[in-house]
Amino acid sequence: MGRPAHRHRDVERRELRQVAGGQEKVKEWYGVSNADEIPSPALLVYPDRVEDNIRRMIRLAGGVARLRPHMKTTKLPEVIRMQMDQGITKFKCATIAETEMVAACRAPDVLLAYQPVGPNVARLIQLARTFPQTRFSALVDDEGTICTLSSAAVRAGLTLDLFLDLDCGMHRTGVTPGPRALELYRRIVGSPGLNAAGLHAYDGHIHDTDLAVRTRACEDALAPVLALRNELVDAGLPVPALVAGGTPTFPLHARRADVECSPGTAVFWDLGYRTTLPDLDFLPAVLLLTRVISRPATNLLCLDLGHKAVASEVPHPRVELLGLPQAKAVGHSEEHLSVETDRAREFPVGSCFYAIPWHICPTVALHNEVVVVRNGRAEERWQVVGRARTISI
Amino acid sequence: MGRPAHRHRDVERRELRQVAGGQEKVKEWYGVSNADEIPSPALLVYPDRVEDNIRRMIRLAGGVARLRPHMKTTKLPEVIRMQMDQGITKFKCATIAETEMVAACRAPDVLLAYQPVGPNVARLIQLARTFPQTRFSALVDDEGTICTLSSAAVRAGLTLDLFLDLDCGMHRTGVTPGPRALELYRRIVGSPGLNAAGLHAYDGHIHDTDLAVRTRACEDALAPVLALRNELVDAGLPVPALVAGGTPTFPLHARRADVECSPGTAVFWDLGYRTTLPDLDFLPAVLLLTRVISRPATNLLCLDLGHKAVASEVPHPRVELLGLPQAKAVGHSEEHLSVETDRAREFPVGSCFYAIPWHICPTVALHNEVVVVRNGRAEERWQVVGRARTISI
């Protein structure tokens, strides 16, 4: 809002529909015929588009073998099953609850892309015991954690797969590729109850809009990781996999035959990546439904889309109102979004808007359920299972 | 973090405890002896301090008669009951779900401080039918809504209490005090199925740190509201109540014999209001528990306190780490908070920190349960019922 958006052809796609009486009416793809039945704010999921995005993701990865989508975005068992229906077997998660959700969907392989500390060590062991059909792995970057996990695995009579987490420039977690990394990797290999699953290198600091710049940054960040991998292999150590990147570098890692890719946002897509990553053509598959709850001035609309319903860690525009992209956010509180627009008079109190969130991942986590829209109609609700921090373990 | 905090005497309060072996040890008020059992990130609630804050709130309001605390902050049935145990009978809410939660606690009086539109009209009626012992009221600022609510109430054989929402300078919702407001108020009085409950004036734009400046701004904002009330009364119209302000102007409205006060944050308190409202002496009663999950550099700690666990609509500092107030936030993603501190070496992976969030209200909404700490021990968990957008209605 207020900021020029890179308009995307799909968002603008209209469908000609034959309506009662033979009259032709232009209908947006996102319109919901029974919107009057949906209390707002609500998160609408369009499964056709989700399936399309999964297909695009698989196509870009050249198949499912090197694809390990991140579940932090979608948080829905139904979406995990949609991915499994298209042949995806491996998943990535950030929390024990997300990991449990994936395992409960009978997914064969799930990586907790987070170093387990404190009670999460016992929870991970408990997950492995409860879901023996699923292969669990986790990240480590610390000697103490390797030691703790080894003891816990031995006590439980289990083998845990661990990826060594590498810092390839983001400086968030992980160890710098080099002698210390080699030493830690050896430690994993040599610890009872542990299995060295490979390397993990998240390059979330790379999201340049210019694909050439992004490509170069990605290559520079990955070079020391690949060098470390070669060193490990030369030393006779097993390095079964290298998991790298998120959505911005997905198309780049996808070109490498020996890297597993972990896009998250791609499945739902959002305004942020649509704006900043024009080389990727995923479809917005999740929208917010919101209503005008007040018009306090002739150029102001107040919507029921507060920051308890849409991610707010980013500056405005936090959403784009479809059909009213020029509206400018001027206030955002817990349950209210105030926007300025010369067209306010056109929208009486109660008017509906559909909105694309800038950042879908934390937006999903703000909703306890989503409304499922098929063929222009809200049909059912799915519970956002993965937003809880504890499911059963 | 990085920002000089106005240190509060209570946060610094230490208790001398006799420990085993007769050795004296200084223990912070917030320490949890069985912290090792609590997966992080977690929200810790200290009921003794909550009760103390409720007492302070009642004292400041000169009794319970003019107190109508806002439930958007606490979202917990247990906290509603704690307030009812101290004699509070009236509550304020922002969503239908919060309203249902309060009614389900058998509270006598609940105001939905939000204009009901779309399906929320039928939901409000349904609430009134389901909980006949509770008096429900809502806000309106629109002729169409008054008309809709009147029809809905008549059809349901109910009477709905409506407050006219006034814009006293925030320009978020409400009608400006003046002829149009008078006309709308008359419309409520004259509509079947509706009862005029009075006026609502939220002055959330007033939060000056200087009490004198805040007082003047509050008086200026309220003057036209009081003038309107006089006009309505002179016209022979009933104005049973005037609900005004939130926490920042609570001490000011508390002085007026004829205004109902609606503090929200006061019950839990937070870093934001502790920093910006030094005249108020509520106690931090809710903290976050977080752990170090990585130390990617000698001066960096990565904590499991991402913006999916702490409110992020505000700039940093989004939390203050107790015992490490100088730590400076340098990165915040969904499940990670990176802080810079020269003391990083002192805190191995797995170390616990307690943190005061800058903004507690949206932070509570990010957690599905809270951990209840009594006498320094985590005892039970309470479900954050009010964070759902739908409970049963």
Side-chain angles (χ1 to χ4, degrees):
Chain A
M1 292 176 296
R3 174 166 164 184
H6 301 237
R7 309 293 301 170
H8 193 285
R9 59 190 175 285
D10 291 293
V11 176
E12 299 310 300
R13 194 179 67 186
R14 288 171 168 81
E15 292 166 7
L16 283 177
R17 288 267 177 105
Q18 206 74 20
V19 297
Q23 201 184 359
E24 268 185 348
K25 189 170 178 276
V26 174
K27 189 178 178 311
E28 308 286 351
W29 64 266
Y30 48 82
V32 179
S33 58
N34 57 337
D36 286 355
E37 299 166 19
I38 310 172
S40 49
L43 204 61
L44 310 177
V45 172
Y46 298 76
D48 288 353
R49 293 193 149 226
V50 173
E51 279 170 4
D52 195 332
N53 283 338
I54 297 169
R55 271 191 293 276
R56 287 170 195 232
M57 202 167 68
I58 294 171
R59 198 182 311 137
L60 196 50
V64 298
R66 290 188 302 103
L67 205 47
R68 184 184 283 282
H70 204 313
M71 299 315 303
K72 68 174 181 132
T73 307
T74 55
K75 293 185 180 289
L76 291 161
E78 290 80 359
V79 173
I80 295 170
R81 287 193 280 265
M82 287 163 82
Q83 296 186 66
M84 290 173 70
D85 285 347
Q86 291 200 35
I88 294 171
T89 59
K90 292 176 285 194
F91 296 92
K92 182 166 156 175
C93 294
T95 69
I96 294 281
E98 288 171 15
T99 308
E100 177 171 349
M101 180 187 70
V102 175
C105 291
R106 303 175 174 275
D109 187 322
V110 53
L111 162 61
L112 172 65
Y114 213 74
Q115 177 156 250
V117 302
N120 282 356
V121 172
R123 295 172 80 199
L124 181 63
I125 296 285
Q126 187 58 36
L127 277 174
R129 278 180 160 155
T130 309
F131 301 97
Q133 308 307 320
T134 299
R135 176 211 181 207
F136 292 89
S137 54
L139 300 191
V140 285
D141 69 6
D142 177 71
E143 202 168 343
T145 309
I146 293 171
C147 199
T148 305
L149 288 168
S150 170
S151 305
V154 168
R155 270 199 310 277
L158 291 167
T159 302
L160 274 180
D161 283 281
L162 296 185
F163 284 82
L164 182 65
D165 191 19
L166 297 175
D167 180 0
C168 61
M170 195 183 185
H171 310 320
R172 186 174 76 173
T173 66
V175 58
T176 308
R180 175 82 185 131
L182 178 62
E183 188 188 324
L184 284 173
Y185 199 82
R186 278 190 192 281
R187 182 62 64 105
I188 299 170
V189 173
S191 295
L194 302 183
N195 182 44
L199 303 173
H200 177 266
Y202 181 59
D203 53 14
H205 57 299
I206 301 169
H207 39 67
D208 307 83
T209 295
D210 184 322
L211 185 59
V213 175
R214 196 182 337 138
T215 302
R216 180 60 181 271
C218 181
E219 280 169 4
D220 289 351
L222 200 65
V225 174
L226 295 176
L228 174 70
R229 179 168 68 175
N230 290 339
E231 203 178 346
L232 296 173
V233 171
D234 290 347
L237 300 170
V239 190
L242 164 56
V243 179
T247 295
T249 54
F250 170 38
L252 312 173
H253 293 302
R255 292 184 207 152
R256 302 177 178 276
D258 49 3
V259 174
E260 274 186 21
C261 304
S262 293
T265 308
V267 176
F268 280 176
W269 212 228
D270 61 20
L271 183 59
Y273 280 170
R274 192 182 121 214
T275 305
T276 59
L277 304 175
D279 55 300
L280 289 172
D281 69 345
F282 294 99
L283 309 174
V286 175
L287 298 180
L288 288 151
L289 179 73
T290 178
R291 288 188 173 85
V292 176
I293 54 150
S294 185
R295 289 191 300 182
T298 52
N299 65 338
L300 281 179
L301 293 176
C302 185
L303 303 168
D304 58 0
L305 198 56
H307 55 71
K308 279 177 173 168
V310 64
S312 63
E313 88 285 1
V314 288
H316 292 290
R318 292 170 181 167
V319 292
E320 177 183 315
L321 299 179
L322 298 179
L324 200 63
Q326 301 80 9
K328 183 174 179 276
V330 292
H332 206 190
S333 43
E334 291 166 50
E335 304 288 355
H336 304 77
L337 172 65
S338 300
V339 300
E340 214 173 73
T341 166
D342 292 341
R343 296 177 54 197
R345 284 173 196 277
E346 297 171 36
F347 304 99
V349 168
S351 300
C352 275
F353 282 99
Y354 300 84
I356 314 187
W358 182 272
H359 194 183
I360 186 63
C361 316
T363 297
V364 172
L366 295 172
H367 294 262
N368 59 320
E369 54 183 21
V370 298
V371 175
V372 184
V373 181
R374 289 194 184 89
N375 301 316
R377 199 173 159 77
E379 286 197 336
E380 58 175 320
R381 286 166 187 276
W382 292 340
Q383 202 199 336
V384 185
V385 173
R387 84 161 184 155
R389 298 219 157 252
T390 308
I391 297 175
S392 79
I393 286 170
Chain B
M1 293 177 296
R3 176 166 163 183
H6 302 236
R7 311 291 303 168
H8 193 286
R9 60 189 175 285
D10 291 294
V11 176
E12 299 310 299
R13 193 179 69 186
R14 289 172 168 81
E15 292 167 7
L16 282 177
R17 288 266 177 106
Q18 205 73 20
V19 297
Q23 200 184 0
E24 267 187 347
K25 188 169 180 274
V26 174
K27 189 177 178 309
E28 307 286 352
W29 65 265
Y30 48 81
V32 180
S33 58
N34 57 338
D36 287 354
E37 299 167 18
I38 310 171
S40 49
L43 204 61
L44 310 178
V45 172
Y46 298 75
D48 287 353
R49 292 194 149 226
V50 173
E51 277 170 7
D52 193 333
N53 282 338
I54 297 169
R55 269 190 294 275
R56 287 170 195 234
M57 201 166 69
I58 293 170
R59 198 183 311 137
L60 196 50
V64 297
R66 290 187 303 103
L67 205 47
R68 184 184 283 281
H70 203 312
M71 299 315 303
K72 68 174 181 133
T73 307
T74 54
K75 293 185 180 287
L76 292 160
E78 289 81 359
V79 173
I80 295 170
R81 286 192 281 264
M82 286 163 83
Q83 296 186 67
M84 290 173 68
D85 285 348
Q86 291 200 35
I88 294 171
T89 58
K90 292 176 284 193
F91 297 92
K92 182 166 155 174
C93 295
T95 70
I96 294 282
E98 287 171 15
T99 308
E100 177 172 350
M101 179 186 71
V102 174
C105 291
R106 302 175 175 276
D109 187 323
V110 53
L111 162 61
L112 172 66
Y114 213 73
Q115 176 156 250
V117 303
N120 282 355
V121 171
R123 294 173 80 200
L124 181 62
I125 296 286
Q126 188 58 37
L127 277 174
R129 278 179 159 156
T130 308
F131 301 96
Q133 308 308 321
T134 299
R135 175 210 182 209
F136 292 89
S137 55
L139 300 190
V140 285
D141 69 6
D142 178 70
E143 202 167 343
T145 309
I146 293 169
C147 200
T148 304
L149 288 168
S150 170
S151 305
V154 168
R155 271 199 310 276
L158 291 168
T159 302
L160 274 180
D161 283 281
L162 295 184
F163 283 83
L164 183 65
D165 190 19
L166 297 174
D167 180 0
C168 60
M170 195 183 184
H171 310 319
R172 185 174 77 173
T173 66
V175 59
T176 308
R180 175 80 186 134
L182 178 63
E183 190 187 323
L184 284 173
Y185 199 83
R186 279 190 189 280
R187 182 63 64 107
I188 299 170
V189 173
S191 296
L194 302 184
N195 182 44
L199 302 173
H200 176 268
Y202 180 58
D203 52 14
H205 57 299
I206 301 170
H207 39 68
D208 307 84
T209 295
D210 184 323
L211 184 59
V213 175
R214 196 181 336 138
T215 302
R216 180 60 181 271
C218 180
E219 280 169 4
D220 289 351
L222 200 65
V225 174
L226 296 176
L228 175 69
R229 180 169 65 175
N230 290 340
E231 203 178 346
L232 296 174
V233 171
D234 290 349
L237 300 170
V239 190
L242 165 55
V243 179
T247 296
T249 55
F250 171 38
L252 312 173
H253 293 303
R255 292 185 209 152
R256 300 177 178 278
D258 49 3
V259 174
E260 274 186 20
C261 303
S262 292
T265 307
V267 176
F268 280 176
W269 212 226
D270 60 20
L271 183 60
Y273 279 169
R274 193 183 121 214
T275 305
T276 59
L277 304 176
D279 54 300
L280 288 171
D281 69 346
F282 295 100
L283 309 175
V286 176
L287 299 180
L288 288 151
L289 179 74
T290 178
R291 287 187 173 87
V292 176
I293 53 150
S294 185
R295 289 190 300 180
T298 51
N299 66 337
L300 280 179
L301 293 176
C302 185
L303 303 168
D304 59 0
L305 198 54
H307 56 70
K308 279 177 173 168
V310 64
S312 63
E313 89 284 2
V314 287
H316 293 289
R318 291 170 180 166
V319 292
E320 177 183 314
L321 298 179
L322 298 179
L324 200 63
Q326 301 80 8
K328 182 173 179 277
V330 292
H332 206 190
S333 43
E334 290 166 50
E335 304 289 356
H336 305 76
L337 173 64
S338 300
V339 301
E340 215 173 73
T341 166
D342 292 341
R343 295 177 54 196
R345 286 174 196 276
E346 297 171 35
F347 305 98
V349 168
S351 301
C352 274
F353 283 100
Y354 300 83
I356 313 187
W358 181 272
H359 194 183
I360 186 62
C361 316
T363 297
V364 173
L366 295 172
H367 294 262
N368 58 319
E369 54 184 21
V370 297
V371 175
V372 183
V373 181
R374 288 194 185 90
N375 301 316
R377 199 175 159 78
E379 287 198 335
E380 59 174 320
R381 287 166 186 278
W382 292 341
Q383 202 197 340
V384 184
V385 174
R387 84 162 184 155
R389 298 218 157 255
T390 308
I391 297 176
S392 78
I393 285 169

